[in-house]
Amino acid sequence: VNNTMNGQLLVAGDQFQSLGEAAYLIDTTIQLSDRFTDFSTRITSNSHSEDYVDEDLALIRKKSTILPAHILERLTVALEASAKNPQSIIIKRGLFPEIKRSWISINNSLYLWNYEDGFEYSYLDAQDRMILTVGLVYPKREVFQTDEYRYLLAIATQETVYLVGICTDETFSVLSLIPTQYYVSLNQVSISSIQGTLNGRIFMSAFDGNLYEFDYQLEEKWFSKKCRLVNHSSSLTRNLVPYFIVTKFSPEDPLYEIALDHPRNILYTLSEKSCIDVYDLGVDGNSLKRVFSFSNVLPEVARFLRNSPSSEKQYQIKFIHVVAEQESTTVHLIAVTTHGIRLYFSTTQALFTSMQSSPSSRPQTLDLLHIRFPPQNKGDLSLRASFYKNGVFVASTPLSTSNPFHQSDRLLVSSPDLSFSKRAIEGSNLKENVSSVDVEGEITSIGERVHRKDLIFQNAEQEHLYYSRELLCLGSKHLHFYTKLSVLEQLKERLEQSDDSDVKIKEFFERYGVDLAASMCLSLALSIEDPQLSQKASSFFLRSSGYSIQVPLSIGGTPQVSEFSPVHSGLSLYAARIVRKIWNVLVSDLFADLTSNDPQKTEVFYQLELQLRALAKYIQNNLMSNSEYSLRREVLVREQKSILHLHSLLVRSTDALALLRLIAENQIHTKLSQNNQLTLTTRTFRYLVVDASGQELCKSLVAALVDHTKTSDDLAAKSITDELQKHCPSFFSDNDYKFLQVMEILKKDYPNKTEKERVLVDAVRELSKIIQFVPNIHPMVNALQRHNYFHGVVHLALLRAKAEGITSEESEKMYRIVLDAFDTFSQLRVPTVDQTQRDEIERTIGKSISVAISSTNRIFHEKLYSWYISKNLTNDLLELKTPFLEEYLEKNSKELLAEFYVREQNYQKAANTFRELAETPLPSVKLDKRIEFLSYALTNAKSCGSTFSSSSNNESGVDVLNDLTERIETAQIQKQIQEQMSEIDPLRFPKSTTAVEELNSKLFSLSDLYNKYARRYNLFDCMLKILHYGSHNDHNLIDKTWNDLIRQICNNNGKTPEYTIRVLADKVVSIGKLYPSPVFPVATLVEKLEAKSLSLKDTLGWDIGWVIETMITVGVILPELFEIYRARISKQSNNTQNMIHAVKLLEVLILRWEEYSQPPRAGLTKHDKSIISDALNEVIVDLNRQKKDEYVSALITSLQTLKSRMSD
């Protein structure tokens, strides 16, 4: 508990859970206390005599004050004159509790009597005009634009209605009456009643049966006068309903009374013949529409009672009273008959007690919901005056007396019976306590003293329980003051009268229930100034567990047994009653009241703060140590825990309220950020106390208040911080104060380097002790960075990130601070600084990095590594010696992991990682990069020497090297296929684009490359390459592939034969140089190429020896070519032309051989010449056998010449 009170658990994870449990207790207690706030839930049937309970202690006479002598003298004279000539005297009187005045008019004289002091009065002379009635109304602020007039008097005479301004102070002790220029002629209309709305409209009922409005404006306009009398009845037709036939008003049915429902903007009028009209003033109160008339009460009462009333006179309505929104959303009006019968009405068509109308619903009707008969034991009533407000009904009725000159009235007071049995049984009919007292004189007006003791509304039940009502009863010569005691005050009376047997207290506990009674004992213990009486109340509270009641608490019709003792329940009720005043109120609204010019509003908050503090102290002293109440151990442990949580909630509520008070006093809430100001308009006081975000908002308010003190002198600043420490420790603890002191030190400049280092070291040391409690470390970060003390920032942020109770979200913020610091000092590395500064920067960076990598937090290290990568500082990253780097790279960057292994000279892991990078199918890794990875893998594998082994199997080092070599060769073939496919026309092969992407995304085997790509897309040269690397010896397949390749090249689509031959020769050379037999079968290719050449001889600008040159370029040796071409001659013996062509080719080859053998090359050997000579002999013999033409003869001659050279 002490830790909580001292703010030591501000960041503890379970703190807000505990506060939430206590807040839930408050919420449910408030909800339970509000269950029967709307009394319409209790009017389930018409009343009976048993619905009343006599109450002896409820009504107490406080005093009676006689009229001032002068007024009394004038009144006496007037009454005597009236007895002789009644028409010559008009006497009217009434109460204006709002200004603490009673008024009396005698003909043309008006007196406003201050009944509080009993002597002071104000006088107004209406000259020769007889006053009929007076109304206290609100001024129109658009007309009376200053606050000079708090109220206006609307005075109706026989001829005019005119307005008089009331000037007074806050206490209404002295007031002045100032006539205004606003009046209106009545044209012989007699006014009976005047009422005003909150926005300044003035309505008047008249004896001619019409409703009038005194409309006035600042200036006269073209189409409207400055003042005018508006008749709202003469041009309107009453609405019709199924049960009534309603006629227009007539002079035979005067209007007697107006009742205004200000929150709902509804106006009611009552006529002499019990007709009630309902007017809708509109949502904004600026319009007027009659929506219903209730003109004949007898048929409706008969329908409701299912039988005929005994007497029509008995149901003549004499008074109407508005029911406040806070009391009921269903019942809107209570009408009172001459004989004291109360009729409860609703203006909306809601089902009886089954649904509630919305407060914003507009009036539609006037439905009778309930008839309440007066108590039978009070005799036959004939009411003279009545009053109703917040459940309290007061009426006066004449007493029979033998002395006609000494008149007396009986005052009847009824209020809801809040005894336990009536509250506990849901659905029971409304019960009322009733008291009566005889009063001297005729009571003509009843009101209630206005006390602003509780400006934040309590529900009606709370009003009756805790707040006494002070009633004003105006008689003929006296004003009588009576107090309707609250249940709490009745308990106090019992405590004062109780003896050691405490029988009266037990009766109270039994009547109102042990929980409520315990709560009231606690309330008295904390509010009574008499120490002895306070101690007695506390003792009864602590011993309340010893009391029992017969009726269990019922919720939803099911009996419930509380899991806690009455002490706990009473404590919860009292705590909820205190905090409910502000619990669900918006913070912005609280600030509005705290900063208002009304001292009574601010006093409410001050008293509330004292109450909360007193309750928390009481719990600390009486319920959190050895106490007077005893329970079973298991119940006690659970209850003590709940009380501990509630105590923490009360302490924080007290601190929050004190903080709001300090903020308001210094007007800090108006200087907050726009976001925080918006939050204040959407968040309640409960949010500030219970929610973790509310805690942050309170810390922001504290920070704003502290910042505000910077502009003040040191004494004022010290005063604010002292106030925060004393009254708001939940939000400004000792740690907060220490933080503030360190921040003040960091704001200073220190030219001396040694002193600066010492100050910064000390500051970081002190901040390290409280870093987990600092609500916002950004000012601290900025202050340290201003001194370039980056490693201090890194240290504190990482220290806070791992502190107990810090959330993962908060830790993330700390990591961000560290990385932001790294960003900042990285930017300091600029070439413009001198060497000394550069050295200092590097030392700062080095210290910061050392602090960062010394952290044992794996998550932070990962954030740090990611920062290095994002800044392209991979070389610096790989230089770090940290325990988490290898694992991080394993997850996030295999390429960097491979480089890491290279730097660590772990070549085996490097080779395996590079190989894995190459073989992992990832679209982001392109084929070129995969080939590069394979090359790196091979290089690192070679660096391992004989010690290398595969990570996936038990291959030897040699096997791995061979495999890597083959994979590189295969990848290069894949690259060739990819390049050739990228040139394919997609219109011819629509899937070629996709195939290119596939080839770029992963490595394929030779089989897949051959079948899926090379063969499918007619990449014949690639097919030959694959056949070579695959050691494929299928001569037929090779032969077919060459045929397809030659055909593909020769289908040149319009290219010249020369170009085609050149392309074909180049392709053969490129293949022949790389791949030997069987992929490059020389004899077969010579035959194919020469056949193709022969077919083109007619179109070719012909180089007959191009095939020979091609083969020589490939590297085929001349003796091998010679034997191939020599064999071709014998194969062409059946075709003279082909044979001659073959002979010519042999000649070309021999000449090329001879040329090739010239110096500097070695000459033809004798063996070579012998072979050539023999071949030439055979050819010449064959040619001589043929038919000789000029070409053959020339060829024979040429061959003979060549032969002769071979013989030299």
Side-chain angles (χ1 to χ4, degrees):
V1 176
N2 290 333
N3 285 342
T4 303
M5 293 180 65
N6 291 332
Q8 298 301 309
L9 296 179
L10 290 181
V11 293
D14 60 347
Q15 183 199 15
F16 291 107
Q17 180 180 353
S18 302
L19 290 171
E21 293 173 2
Y24 177 76
L25 177 64
I26 294 294
D27 293 336
T28 53
T29 303
I30 291 174
Q31 291 168 8
L32 285 174
S33 68
D34 286 346
R35 283 166 59 223
F36 301 124
T37 297
D38 194 327
F39 71 84
S40 65
T41 60
R42 295 301 187 91
I43 52 175
T44 56
S45 63
N46 296 322
S47 67
H48 306 282
S49 58
E50 59 268 22
D51 289 339
Y52 293 97
V53 179
D54 286 333
E55 194 171 34
D56 297 331
L57 295 175
L59 196 61
I60 297 178
R61 179 179 175 179
K62 290 296 184 181
K63 66 177 180 178
S64 293
T65 304
I66 194 168
L67 289 170
H70 175 71
I71 302 176
L72 187 59
E73 181 182 349
R74 286 288 310 273
L75 179 61
T76 302
V77 172
L79 290 173
E80 292 174 355
S82 177
K84 298 176 181 179
N85 184 8
Q87 301 299 325
S88 65
I89 302 296
I90 298 178
I91 300 174
K92 300 289 183 178
R93 67 188 76 199
L95 291 169
F96 292 147
E98 297 87 348
I99 59 174
K100 300 179 181 179
R101 296 296 186 276
S102 169
W103 68 273
I104 181 170
S105 66
I106 304 171
N107 286 346
N108 62 342
S109 298
L110 175 65
Y111 298 93
L112 290 180
W113 169 41
N114 184 345
Y115 54 68
E116 293 293 348
D117 67 10
F119 302 101
E120 188 271 333
Y121 65 88
S122 303
Y123 171 73
L124 185 69
D125 186 355
Q127 298 178 0
D128 58 348
R129 293 169 290 186
M130 304 285 275
I131 297 174
L132 300 180
T133 188
V134 180
L136 183 70
V137 298
Y138 292 95
K140 288 184 177 179
R141 288 307 172 195
E142 65 270 22
V143 176
F144 300 98
Q145 297 180 359
T146 67
D147 292 333
E148 179 181 4
Y149 298 149
R150 300 282 298 278
Y151 293 94
L152 298 176
L153 287 179
I155 302 174
T157 69
Q158 293 174 324
E159 299 177 0
T160 61
V161 178
Y162 61 97
L163 303 182
V164 175
I166 297 178
C167 297
T168 183
D169 57 10
E170 292 289 338
T171 62
F172 299 101
S173 58
V174 178
L175 59 80
S176 301
L177 302 180
I178 311 296
T180 71
Q181 56 183 328
Y182 297 98
Y183 66 91
V184 65
S185 297
L186 291 176
N187 299 322
Q188 298 182 344
V189 174
S190 296
I191 302 300
S192 58
S193 174
I194 301 176
Q195 293 286 335
T197 64
L198 297 179
N199 62 356
R201 298 179 73 181
I202 302 173
F203 293 98
M204 303 176 293
S205 60
F207 288 103
D208 65 357
N210 290 320
L211 174 67
Y212 293 93
E213 181 176 359
F214 181 180
D215 186 25
Y216 64 97
Q217 57 189 0
L218 187 61
E219 296 177 347
E220 188 167 328
K221 298 182 180 179
W222 281 55
F223 299 104
S224 59
K225 297 181 179 180
K226 190 172 185 178
C227 299
R228 62 184 182 131
L229 185 67
V230 180
N231 187 335
H232 287 298
S233 301
S234 61
S235 62
L236 299 175
T237 302
R238 295 176 184 264
N239 295 324
L240 298 178
V241 296
Y243 303 108
F244 309 103
I245 299 177
V246 183
T247 62
K248 294 183 179 180
F249 276 124
S250 70
E252 298 172 353
D253 191 16
L255 288 186
Y256 273 159
E257 188 173 356
I258 295 174
L260 272 170
D261 187 337
H262 296 291
R264 298 187 183 99
N265 284 327
I266 303 175
L267 181 146
Y268 306 92
T269 61
L270 174 65
S271 74
E272 183 181 32
K273 294 183 177 180
S274 301
C275 178
I276 302 174
D277 272 11
V278 183
Y279 291 84
D280 183 6
L281 299 179
V283 177
D284 58 1
N286 292 323
S287 60
L288 183 78
K289 177 184 179 183
R290 183 162 55 202
V291 296
F292 199 81
S293 286
F294 187 92
S295 63
N296 196 340
V297 67
L298 287 180
E300 183 67 5
V301 171
R303 181 188 66 82
F304 202 86
L305 295 179
R306 302 182 185 276
N307 56 51
S308 299
S310 59
S311 160
E312 179 179 352
K313 183 179 179 181
Q314 185 182 16
Y315 289 95
Q316 181 180 359
I317 299 174
K318 191 172 183 179
F319 309 102
I320 54 176
H321 301 290
V322 169
V323 178
E325 277 185 336
Q326 297 90 336
E327 270 196 276
S328 177
T329 57
T330 301
V331 178
H332 302 151
L333 185 73
I334 296 177
V336 185
T337 71
T338 304
H339 291 271
I341 299 173
R342 282 174 278 167
L343 309 177
Y344 291 69
F345 292 96
S346 175
T347 62
T348 55
Q349 297 174 341
L351 296 176
F352 180 68
T353 68
S354 63
M355 62 178 289
Q356 294 181 336
S357 61
S358 168
S360 61
S361 301
R362 304 317 306 151
Q364 306 165 355
T365 183
L366 199 63
D367 281 348
L368 180 60
L369 301 181
H370 178 66
I371 298 178
R372 193 160 196 83
F373 295 95
Q376 294 180 356
N377 62 350
K378 301 303 178 182
D380 188 18
L381 305 180
S382 178
L383 302 190
R384 196 191 308 272
S386 74
F387 167 84
Y388 180 86
K389 186 177 180 181
N390 287 347
V392 173
F393 175 68
V394 187
S396 65
T397 183
L399 282 176
S400 299
T401 175
S402 58
N403 185 353
F405 299 102
H406 185 77
Q407 295 291 328
S408 296
D409 278 4
R410 173 162 290 169
L411 200 64
L412 299 177
V413 181
S414 66
S415 61
D417 180 14
L418 299 176
S419 61
F420 180 80
S421 59
K422 308 304 185 296
R423 290 184 295 112
I425 303 174
E426 194 168 319
S428 63
N429 202 22
L430 177 65
K431 311 291 183 181
E432 288 186 307
N433 296 319
V434 62
S435 304
S436 64
V437 63
D438 294 345
V439 183
E440 180 182 357
E442 299 177 358
I443 303 302
T444 57
S445 183
I446 304 172
E448 181 178 12
R449 291 176 88 178
V450 176
H451 283 285
R452 304 175 74 190
K453 58 185 178 301
D454 192 359
L455 301 176
I456 304 173
F457 178 75
Q458 299 281 299
N459 66 43
E461 184 174 288
Q462 297 288 312
E463 291 278 343
H464 297 305
L465 288 172
Y466 295 101
Y467 297 100
S468 296
R469 309 287 289 276
E470 296 190 41
L471 304 175
L472 304 172
C473 302
L474 181 62
S476 55
K477 297 180 181 180
H478 296 80
L479 181 64
H480 306 284
F481 295 78
Y482 284 88
T483 297
K484 165 68 176 66
L485 292 181
S486 67
V487 177
L488 182 66
E489 285 294 324
Q490 294 179 49
L491 174 61
K492 182 180 178 182
E493 294 280 334
R494 289 174 182 264
L495 283 172
E496 291 173 344
Q497 300 171 12
S498 67
D499 52 21
D500 294 337
S501 63
D502 63 27
V503 174
K504 293 184 178 181
I505 305 303
K506 286 184 178 179
E507 291 175 352
F508 186 89
F509 271 76
E510 290 173 356
R511 178 173 184 183
Y512 291 101
V514 63
D515 292 348
L516 179 59
S519 170
M520 290 188 169
C521 285
L522 177 59
S523 177
L524 291 174
L526 294 173
S527 61
I528 299 176
E529 294 182 0
D530 183 349
Q532 186 176 356
L533 195 58
S534 175
Q535 182 59 40
K536 183 185 289 189
S538 176
S539 178
F540 279 115
F541 166 69
L542 295 173
R543 289 186 287 147
S544 61
S545 298
Y547 295 97
S548 61
I549 55 176
Q550 299 300 319
V551 184
L553 180 64
S554 173
I555 300 175
T558 304
Q560 303 288 323
V561 179
S562 175
E563 63 174 316
F564 297 117
S565 75
V567 169
H568 180 280
S569 301
L571 175 63
S572 303
L573 282 171
Y574 181 67
R577 182 172 73 86
I578 296 176
V579 300
R580 70 175 294 152
K581 302 174 185 180
I582 56 174
W583 191 240
N584 291 312
V585 179
L586 293 175
V587 180
S588 56
D589 292 341
L590 295 178
F591 275 132
D593 286 342
L594 282 166
T595 56
S596 70
N597 294 324
D598 189 344
Q600 295 189 41
K601 285 187 176 182
T602 55
E603 178 66 17
V604 167
F605 289 97
Y606 179 71
Q607 292 299 327
L608 179 57
E609 184 182 337
L610 293 180
Q611 286 179 306
L612 289 170
R613 204 175 299 280
L615 179 56
K617 183 178 179 181
Y618 183 88
I619 295 173
Q620 180 76 34
N621 295 337
N622 296 276
L623 300 178
M624 298 176 66
S625 57
N626 295 328
S627 60
E628 294 184 40
Y629 77 105
S630 59
L631 299 167
R632 298 192 314 275
R633 176 172 177 78
E634 62 274 14
V635 176
L636 180 62
V637 171
R638 187 170 63 250
E639 184 160 309
Q640 286 272 309
K641 181 180 179 182
S642 179
I643 291 176
L644 172 65
H645 295 167
L646 183 59
H647 178 266
S648 299
L649 180 71
L650 292 171
V651 169
R652 286 178 64 82
S653 298
T654 307
D655 293 355
L657 196 56
L659 175 61
L660 296 184
R661 176 173 52 80
L662 289 172
I663 294 294
E665 289 174 357
N666 292 275
Q667 294 291 316
I668 302 302
H669 59 290
T670 62
K671 304 170 185 176
L672 297 174
S673 67
Q674 186 175 0
N675 184 51
N676 277 341
Q677 289 197 38
L678 179 62
T679 302
L680 296 180
T681 63
T682 59
R683 299 299 185 180
T684 63
F685 182 81
R686 182 190 191 279
Y687 167 83
L688 290 184
V689 176
V690 178
D691 196 275
S693 299
Q695 161 100 1
E696 294 303 317
L697 179 57
C698 286
K699 290 286 189 177
S700 298
L701 293 175
V702 169
L705 181 58
V706 171
D707 287 341
H708 173 71
T709 63
K710 299 172 186 176
T711 61
S712 308
D713 56 78
D714 292 342
L715 186 60
K718 181 67 166 56
S719 174
I720 290 293
T721 55
D722 288 346
E723 284 282 309
L724 285 170
Q725 277 190 290
K726 180 180 179 181
H727 298 297
C728 314
S730 297
F731 310 108
F732 191 77
S733 63
D734 292 340
N735 292 328
D736 295 320
Y737 183 66
K738 292 176 183 177
F739 177 74
L740 183 63
Q741 288 180 313
V742 174
M743 289 302 298
E744 290 300 318
I745 293 173
L746 292 178
K747 290 174 184 176
K748 300 177 182 178
D749 292 321
Y750 301 94
N752 185 279
K753 185 177 180 180
T754 303
E755 181 187 7
K756 177 180 178 180
E757 182 68 20
R758 177 186 59 78
V759 168
L760 292 175
V761 169
D762 291 343
V764 170
R765 183 188 303 112
E766 291 302 315
L767 289 171
S768 298
K769 299 175 183 177
I770 61 173
I771 190 64
Q772 72 185 94
F773 306 113
V774 175
N776 180 12
I777 74 168
H778 290 285
M780 174 202 72
V781 169
N782 294 335
L784 290 173
Q785 287 186 349
R786 188 175 72 87
H787 294 290
N788 288 334
Y789 207 65
F790 290 98
H791 60 282
V793 172
V794 174
H795 169 73
L796 292 171
L798 292 178
L799 190 63
R800 180 180 173 88
K802 70 176 184 179
E804 181 181 358
I806 293 295
T807 64
S808 57
E809 181 181 3
E810 180 68 13
S811 295
E812 288 286 336
K813 293 179 181 178
M814 295 305 102
Y815 303 151
R816 186 67 262 167
I817 287 174
V818 174
L819 299 180
D820 287 345
F822 274 44
D823 282 335
T824 302
F825 64 62
S826 294
Q827 294 169 4
L828 298 176
R829 286 171 162 166
V830 293
T832 56
V833 299
D834 58 35
Q835 187 60 43
T836 302
Q837 290 178 311
R838 192 177 299 113
D839 293 341
E840 183 64 28
I841 291 170
E842 291 303 323
R843 281 194 295 271
T844 299
I845 294 174
K847 288 180 180 179
S848 301
I849 293 175
S850 297
V851 173
I853 65 176
S854 66
S855 170
T856 59
N857 189 303
R858 182 188 304 272
I859 297 176
F860 166 70
H861 273 268
E862 292 178 353
K863 300 285 184 183
L864 179 62
Y865 303 154
S866 297
W867 178 85
Y868 270 100
I869 293 174
S870 69
K871 301 300 179 182
N872 294 321
L873 300 174
T874 54
N875 287 331
D876 293 343
L877 172 62
L878 297 177
E879 291 295 329
L880 298 180
K881 304 297 181 182
T882 65
F884 307 113
L885 181 56
E886 181 177 356
E887 180 182 350
Y888 170 83
L889 296 177
E890 176 71 35
K891 295 178 182 177
N892 297 278
S893 179
K894 288 292 182 68
E895 186 173 357
L896 287 178
L897 177 64
E899 293 184 31
F900 170 79
Y901 287 141
V902 172
R903 289 173 183 256
E904 294 291 315
Q905 297 184 354
N906 192 335
Y907 299 119
Q908 178 170 322
K909 285 188 175 182
N912 289 330
T913 304
F914 277 125
R915 181 172 180 173
E916 181 182 351
L917 283 168
E919 295 176 347
T920 302
L922 287 175
S924 58
V925 182
K926 304 306 179 185
L927 184 56
D928 289 336
K929 197 67 176 177
R930 294 179 186 278
I931 295 173
E932 182 182 337
F933 287 149
L934 287 174
S935 300
Y936 289 154
L938 180 61
T939 301
N940 282 277
K942 291 178 179 178
S943 300
C944 290
S946 60
T947 62
F948 182 80
S949 62
S950 173
S951 60
S952 58
N953 50 52
N954 295 322
E955 292 180 300
S956 66
V958 175
D959 293 336
V960 171
L961 292 175
N962 291 337
D963 183 56
L964 285 172
T965 302
E966 291 176 0
R967 286 181 179 274
I968 292 174
E969 292 171 348
T970 303
Q972 289 171 341
I973 295 174
Q974 182 172 331
K975 178 63 178 175
Q976 181 180 347
I977 292 174
Q978 181 206 23
E979 290 174 348
Q980 291 189 20
M981 289 191 63
S982 63
E983 298 176 0
I984 293 177
D985 185 358
L987 296 178
R988 183 181 176 193
F989 292 101
K991 295 183 180 181
S992 61
T993 303
T994 303
V996 170
E997 294 175 356
E998 291 175 354
L999 289 166
N1000 215 11
S1001 64
K1002 66 176 183 177
L1003 296 177
F1004 289 88
S1005 65
L1006 283 175
S1007 176
D1008 286 340
L1009 291 174
Y1010 184 87
N1011 293 306
K1012 291 183 179 181
Y1013 301 102
R1015 184 172 65 179
R1016 180 176 298 177
Y1017 294 97
N1018 298 332
L1019 306 180
F1020 301 114
D1021 54 340
C1022 295
M1023 291 171 63
L1024 291 171
K1025 195 171 186 179
I1026 293 171
L1027 291 173
H1028 166 72
Y1029 281 106
S1031 301
H1032 205 289
N1033 295 322
D1034 188 340
H1035 298 288
N1036 292 330
L1037 179 59
I1038 293 172
D1039 185 69
K1040 180 180 182 304
T1041 303
W1042 273 108
N1043 288 336
D1044 292 336
L1045 176 59
I1046 294 171
R1047 187 183 308 108
Q1048 184 185 59
I1049 293 174
C1050 291
N1051 292 337
N1052 51 40
N1053 296 323
K1055 300 292 183 180
T1056 63
E1058 292 83 359
Y1059 177 82
T1060 300
I1061 291 299
R1062 186 164 61 252
V1063 171
L1064 182 58
D1066 290 343
K1067 180 62 68 176
V1068 171
V1069 170
S1070 65
I1071 296 175
K1073 283 189 172 183
L1074 294 174
Y1075 317 121
S1077 181
V1079 173
F1080 195 82
V1082 178
T1084 302
L1085 282 177
V1086 168
E1087 193 64 39
K1088 293 178 184 297
L1089 294 175
E1090 290 294 355
K1092 176 58 64 177
S1093 179
L1094 187 61
S1095 68
L1096 295 173
K1097 68 178 182 177
D1098 295 332
T1099 58
L1100 191 64
W1102 203 25
D1103 177 9
I1104 192 174
W1106 71 270
V1107 176
I1108 297 171
E1109 288 299 326
T1110 298
M1111 291 301 172
I1112 292 174
T1113 304
V1114 168
V1116 180
I1117 60 176
L1118 290 171
E1120 181 180 358
L1121 275 178
F1122 179 79
E1123 293 299 332
I1124 292 171
Y1125 276 92
R1126 181 179 181 183
R1128 288 189 75 251
I1129 295 173
S1130 59
K1131 292 178 183 179
Q1132 303 296 334
S1133 59
N1134 296 328
N1135 188 318
T1136 303
Q1137 292 297 325
N1138 290 347
M1139 185 197 73
I1140 295 172
H1141 179 67
V1143 172
K1144 183 62 178 177
L1145 287 174
L1146 182 63
E1147 178 189 22
V1148 171
L1149 175 59
I1150 294 171
L1151 291 173
R1152 185 69 181 86
W1153 193 355
E1154 185 181 32
E1155 178 184 346
Y1156 190 81
S1157 299
Q1158 297 297 322
R1161 301 184 182 93
L1164 290 171
T1165 64
K1166 290 182 179 181
H1167 178 70
D1168 295 337
K1169 291 180 178 182
S1170 174
I1171 293 173
I1172 293 172
S1173 179
D1174 292 342
L1176 289 173
N1177 282 333
E1178 293 175 3
V1179 170
I1180 292 171
V1181 171
D1182 289 340
L1183 286 176
N1184 285 324
R1185 293 176 184 162
Q1186 302 298 324
K1187 182 180 179 180
K1188 297 179 181 174
D1189 56 15
E1190 184 177 351
Y1191 176 79
V1192 174
S1193 299
L1195 178 58
I1196 292 172
T1197 303
S1198 177
L1199 292 175
Q1200 289 174 343
T1201 303
L1202 183 59
K1203 177 184 176 185
S1204 63
R1205 287 205 299 273
M1206 294 298 109
S1207 301
D1208 294 340

